Amino acid sequence: MTTDFEDIFERMNRFLESAGLSRSLSETMAWAPLADMSETDDAYLIECELPGAKRDDIDVEITEHELAITGEITEREREGVLRRRGRPVGRFEYRALLPTDVRADEVQAALSDGVLKVTIPKAKAAKPRHIEIQG
């Protein structure tokens, strides 16, 4: 199915370029990288696939309830003619809503083997406490 979608996307690009539009769809649209989000009692862990990305080309921003990973992967130089593209290049954007408050000042991110791992500690929720009634 992915192959069919890529074929349609490529045909649409060629059609738009032939119609006189100077930029292709891939240049104007950001693509969303594949990512997994898991949750433990203490934190959220996001693993985002960014093959070919360099640390300086990735921006990670966090608010109380949202994570944004943005950046750009540039085309690398090749020998010969590229016959088929399977890995995306250009601007990318991944966003995730976080269901609880987080400790934004303690977020950690590491890039290794094309996978960006972001650890987002949860804010400590107030524990329920029994209140004794006086009187």
Side-chain angles (χ1 to χ4, degrees), residues 8-72:
I8 291 169
F9 188 76
E10 193 60 38
R11 286 181 189 197
M12 189 171 221
N13 264 341
R14 284 195 302 265
F15 170 75
L16 291 173
E17 288 171 354
S18 68
L21 298 174
S22 60
R23 294 217 246 159
S24 70
L25 284 176
S26 60
E27 291 175 25
T28 59
M29 292 175 39
W31 54 275
L34 298 176
D36 291 333
M37 179 176 172
S38 56
E39 179 181 1
T40 66
D41 290 340
D42 300 323
Y44 296 101
L45 175 64
I46 289 82
E47 294 177 309
C48 186
E49 292 185 17
L50 296 169
K54 299 178 184 94
R55 285 178 175 80
D56 294 339
D57 297 335
I58 303 170
D59 185 44
V60 179
E61 291 185 6
I62 187 93
T63 64
E64 279 187 17
H65 296 286
E66 184 179 37
L67 167 72
I69 300 171
T70 58
E72 185 168 357

Side-chain angles (χ1 to χ4, degrees), residues 109-130:
L111 181 65
S112 177
D113 297 327
V115 177
L116 177 69
K117 294 182 181 181
V118 181
T119 303
I120 307 169
K122 294 178 182 178
K124 298 288 184 205
K127 291 185 178 178
R129 182 170 76 93
H130 180 73

Side-chain angles (χ1 to χ4, degrees), residues 72-132:
E72 185 168 357
I73 296 177
T74 56
E75 178 73 36
R76 67 181 180 92
E77 292 195 25
R78 306 174 188 277
E79 285 188 33
V81 177
L82 179 64
R83 297 289 182 190
R84 183 177 182 99
R85 176 180 308 282
R87 296 183 293 175
V89 293
R91 294 181 315 113
F92 61 85
E93 180 176 314
Y94 172 80
R95 293 189 177 273
L97 292 176
L98 306 170
T100 62
D101 291 336
V102 297
R103 297 190 307 241
D105 55 333
E106 297 178 24
V107 173
Q108 295 181 351
L111 181 65
S112 177
D113 297 327
V115 177
L116 177 69
K117 294 182 181 181
V118 181
T119 303
I120 307 169
K122 294 178 182 178
K124 298 288 184 205
K127 291 185 178 178
R129 182 170 76 93
H130 180 73
I131 307 298
E132 192 170 321

